[in-house]
Amino acid sequence: MVMVLMVAVGLLAPCIGKLAGAGLGLLCQALFPVVGLLVRTNLVAGYRRLGAAATPLALTVAFAAVALFVPQMKWHEQQEQDGQRMMADQVVQSNGNGLPATAARTLLKTQGAGAVLGTTGTYVTVPVGDDASQPGPGGIAQAVTGGPLDEVLDLGVVQGTIHGLGPRDVALSRDLADRAHVRAGDGVRLAMEDDRTEKVRVAAVYSRSRGFGEAVIPQGLTAGHLGGQLLQDAVYVRAKPGRRQQLAHGLAELRREKPSWRVLDRDAYRAEALRRQDASMIATYLLLVVVTVFTSISVVNTLVMTTMERSGEFALLRLVGATRRQVARMMRLENAVIVLAALLVGALVAGAVLAVFSHALTGSARPQLAGTTLALILGGAGILALATGVSTTSIALRQRPTSALRGAE
């Protein structure tokens, strides 16, 4: 979507220049009657130049905003759902390839442990067609042990119930259920990692799937499909009422006996998620830096060319009585109009894309944006354009008016 809008902005650059010149030119004339009249006349007459100068800057703002905010919005929603979903007091993971299949039973014997649930990541799809032979929607699934799922994780069930899942009962995320056109109580076929299918019943549909999985299935159902010894990725442990401290001490002792096991409380679990977020964002930041450098070069080149080609105009103004300061002030106002128009167009493009993405992600068309990041994008783009325009104008005004006119000819 962002590419379509960016192409549209490029094609409509003259129209954008005409609208910005007319509207913002009136504003300049109202605020600065003398110089503003000249600015408005230049903007209205040179609306194509205004559109050409504003378009690269607008596209830079739009691309940077979308590239930065989309992953931030995804991580923010995942963190929100993680916090709402987590009911366990401790999470046990492995420093190696995984925990043994008996880990959940071992942890259930720990002093203070009340509810224990082991999970193993896998992948499932919901085939389509009468013979279930065509691939359909799918996603990451969590194969869970027989523990009380609803006591350690609050998945935000919207249909059915996850209490006491049977051996062929599964729960699907709302997104996967919508894509597969199924509801709680329906019978479906699930294709496992080995492409073999299992007939199951959808016992529940849940909403908090970000960072967890699109389906919850019994581990017994996946045992014959994963091959080899089934390892557990994580075990969620909830303490008995009033015995959290006892559980923490018990897990600390178990950790000394099993050094390859890692025990995380809620704070440590959230900190681990933040570290994964920072690591995943590095590639995004590097890509954004490279693209921003190239687009900034385009912005600078466009502004330099549109300013330097007006050397003859500046010289003529000075010969008919305008001072160097007045010409420089006129160009500062024109550059401000270019920057303002570009920021408005770029913000509109990015806002449209982010609103659609936010609605798909959270159900709300009002994206939650970090003010610091937004200020960095808008401020950086504005400063770059203004600095380029002011410095280029200063260079153009160093020439004698007569020399500049001969050069323009």
Side-chain angles (χ1 to χ4, degrees):
M1 179 179 177
V2 65
M3 295 304 299
V4 173
L5 292 177
M6 290 171 70
V7 170
V9 169
L11 295 176
L12 295 174
C15 298
I16 294 172
K18 183 176 289 187
L19 291 174
L24 297 177
L26 282 174
L27 180 61
C28 289
Q29 185 177 358
L31 296 176
F32 309 96
V34 179
V35 178
L37 176 61
L38 189 57
V39 170
R40 181 192 173 194
T41 304
N42 287 336
L43 293 176
V44 172
Y47 67 91
R48 293 181 182 275
R49 181 175 61 232
L50 171 58
T55 298
L57 185 60
L59 299 185
T60 300
V61 171
F63 181 83
V66 172
L68 272 177
F69 283 126
V70 165
Q72 287 185 2
M73 290 166 61
K74 291 171 65 176
W75 276 106
H76 180 268
E77 180 64 16
Q78 179 174 324
Q79 290 173 6
E80 287 286 322
Q81 292 193 13
D82 271 341
Q84 296 168 349
R85 185 170 52 235
M86 180 64 69
M87 298 174 64
D89 298 302
Q90 304 282 343
V91 180
V92 181
Q93 298 175 337
S94 172
N95 291 321
N97 295 326
L99 300 170
T102 58
R105 292 195 296 271
T106 301
L107 290 166
L108 187 58
K109 299 176 184 178
T110 306
Q111 291 183 350
V116 175
L117 181 80
T119 62
T120 301
T122 182
Y123 190 88
V124 299
T125 59
V126 183
V128 296
D130 296 335
D131 55 354
S133 59
Q134 302 178 23
I140 299 295
Q142 295 294 337
V144 300
T145 58
L149 174 61
D150 54 341
E151 293 185 22
V152 295
L153 294 172
D154 182 2
L155 296 179
V157 176
V158 294
Q159 295 178 23
T161 179
I162 59 173
H163 180 73
L165 291 179
R168 289 196 170 271
D169 289 341
V170 302
L172 301 181
S173 71
R174 181 160 51 191
D175 178 62
L176 180 56
D178 290 342
R179 287 185 288 141
H181 306 292
V182 298
R183 295 176 54 85
D186 293 347
V188 298
R189 285 189 175 275
L190 283 185
M192 303 297 182
E193 282 195 10
D194 59 358
D195 293 331
R196 290 187 294 164
T197 61
E198 295 281 354
K199 190 172 182 179
V200 298
R201 182 181 73 91
V202 180
V205 175
Y206 59 92
S207 60
R208 294 171 186 154
S209 59
R210 299 286 173 185
F212 181 70
E214 300 295 327
V216 176
I217 56 180
Q219 279 192 355
L221 196 63
T222 63
H225 298 275
L226 297 180
Q229 184 181 5
L230 186 64
L231 299 177
Q232 295 179 357
D233 297 329
V235 179
Y236 298 87
V237 186
R238 186 175 183 181
K240 294 178 180 179
R243 301 180 65 179
R244 287 186 180 179
Q245 197 66 29
Q246 185 180 19
L247 174 63
H249 289 314
L251 291 177
E253 294 179 2
L254 184 63
R255 171 72 175 79
R256 286 191 288 270
E257 297 175 6
K258 301 181 181 295
S260 63
W261 291 20
R262 185 170 48 156
V263 179
L264 306 173
D265 59 16
R266 292 187 184 183
D267 292 337
Y269 184 77
R270 283 193 290 268
E272 181 71 16
L274 288 174
R275 282 193 292 271
R276 291 197 302 269
Q277 173 186 348
D278 293 339
S280 68
M281 288 294 290
I282 291 177
T284 300
Y285 290 144
L286 290 176
L287 174 63
L288 183 61
V289 167
V290 173
V291 173
T292 302
V293 168
F294 282 101
T295 54
S296 298
I297 293 173
S298 175
V299 170
V300 171
N301 284 340
T302 302
L303 292 174
V304 169
M305 291 175 62
T306 56
T307 302
M308 294 302 294
E309 70 179 5
R310 299 175 64 185
S311 297
E313 177 187 336
F314 300 158
L316 187 60
L317 286 172
R318 294 173 65 186
L319 287 175
V320 298
T323 64
R324 182 174 175 177
R325 176 179 294 183
Q326 288 174 329
V327 176
R329 188 180 182 191
M330 177 194 75
M331 286 305 299
R332 285 198 296 269
L333 281 177
E334 289 193 29
N335 287 328
V337 169
I338 292 173
V339 170
L340 185 57
L343 296 185
L344 286 175
V345 173
L348 286 175
V349 172
V353 175
L354 294 176
V356 173
F357 181 78
S358 176
H359 186 270
L361 184 69
T362 66
S364 171
R366 297 181 61 183
Q368 295 185 354
L369 307 179
T372 304
T373 305
L374 184 61
L376 179 64
I377 294 173
L378 298 179
I383 291 172
L384 172 67
L386 288 174
T388 301
V390 170
S391 59
T392 307
T393 301
S394 177
I395 294 173
L397 291 176
R398 290 177 184 174
Q399 292 180 298
R400 292 180 177 275
T402 53
S403 300
L405 278 177
R406 286 197 296 270
E409 294 174 357

